[in-house]
Amino acid sequence: MQSQQPQNHQNLHTGTVPPQLNHGGHEMFDVHEVLAGAINTINTYTMLSGHVKDPELRDILQRQKQFMATEYNTTLECFKTGQDPAVPTQSYSMKQGNDFTYGMKPSQPQKPIQSVAEINDGTIALNMLNAVKSGAMIKTSAAMEATNPVVRRVLADSLPNCIEMAYEISLYQNKHGYYQVPQLAEQDMQLMQNSYAPCPTQPQMPGTQGLH
């Protein structure tokens, strides 16, 4: 996270705005959603942890949960103070490789579970993924509305972490057959890839077209 120097901001009616109140109305509501969403995600991970059977998934859940807790504290601190947090935003690193297996094979149709006894690692991974993806969308919206430069930077810097966590979970799902990835035919992929051409990076000056 890039450090931001405290700045004096003005309110048209009350004068100088102290750092801890350096937030616009939209920012207040959106960051409230970010923090509430982070609590919900951490709570979800906590509730799911007792049902995990696979040690690999348990390791992912515990590492992500610990990282989320630290990131939550960082976001909360800068939101309450309006200044650089004591612990800056960190970068999440996953342990998974990045090899997907493509293609579909027959599987049992999915349906809602009817009891807690039906919860399995596939269900848990899906809930984790949905929670992380939801957080990414809320943070994106909040970062676009933030007027406080520190809060904006903290939210922006946390987005790659959401993406990395979601990618780690989806790799786990794919590896264990919980998430199948279809592919288009090779000819169709090549046609789509070749339907775009590079954009010139040195545009001609006005009035020079056709001159040699």
Side-chain angles (χ1 to χ4, degrees):
M1 184 188 74
Q2 296 177 354
S3 178
Q4 299 281 354
Q5 295 298 319
Q7 300 176 6
N8 291 324
H9 295 265
Q10 298 294 317
N11 181 292
L12 291 174
H13 306 289
T14 60
T16 302
V17 178
Q20 65 270 25
L21 297 181
N22 178 17
H23 306 290
H26 287 293
E27 178 182 352
M28 292 293 294
F29 290 120
D30 284 2
V31 177
H32 167 76
E33 285 195 46
V34 169
L35 295 172
I39 291 175
N40 184 64
T41 298
I42 294 170
N43 288 347
T44 297
Y45 272 50
T46 299
M47 290 186 289
L48 294 173
S49 62
H51 300 282
V52 178
K53 295 181 177 61
D54 184 3
E56 181 183 9
L57 181 59
R58 181 178 295 108
D59 178 64
I60 293 173
L61 185 150
Q62 291 174 343
R63 285 188 293 105
Q64 291 193 359
K65 178 184 171 184
Q66 182 59 49
F67 189 92
M68 290 175 192
T70 301
E71 194 169 74
Y72 166 82
N73 289 336
T74 292
T75 307
L76 176 62
E77 182 184 349
C78 71
F79 181 56
K80 293 178 75 172
T81 67
Q83 302 185 56
D84 286 340
V87 179
T89 310
Q90 308 295 315
S91 294
Y92 181 78
S93 298
M94 65 180 190
K95 290 184 179 180
Q96 295 274 4
N98 56 9
D99 294 327
F100 268 95
T101 299
Y102 297 98
M104 303 287 290
K105 62 181 181 180
S107 61
Q108 290 295 322
Q110 296 187 50
K111 60 180 180 180
I113 64 174
Q114 301 301 305
S115 71
V116 175
E118 296 181 65
I119 296 176
N120 57 31
D121 290 335
T123 306
I124 292 169
L126 180 59
N127 275 272
M128 291 167 59
L129 179 64
N130 287 339
V132 172
K133 289 170 70 174
S134 175
M137 291 185 285
I138 295 172
K139 288 178 181 178
T140 299
S141 176
M144 298 298 290
E145 295 291 348
T147 54
N148 183 288
V150 180
V151 173
R152 183 187 67 84
R153 177 53 57 192
V154 166
L155 292 170
D157 285 350
S158 71
L159 289 174
N161 295 324
C162 296
I163 296 169
E164 196 78 353
M165 289 183 188
Y167 190 48
E168 181 177 38
I169 298 168
S170 64
L171 282 163
Y172 171 84
Q173 291 175 304
N174 178 252
K175 178 174 150 183
H176 293 273
Y178 301 129
Y179 172 45
Q180 300 190 67
V181 184
Q183 270 196 319
L184 298 177
E186 181 178 337
Q187 179 181 359
D188 292 340
M189 286 194 285
Q190 291 177 341
L191 284 171
M192 293 186 71
Q193 289 174 328
N194 294 329
S195 64
Y196 299 93
C199 175
T201 57
Q202 298 294 330
Q204 291 180 313
M205 295 296 292
T208 61
Q209 290 86 347
L211 297 180
H212 298 282

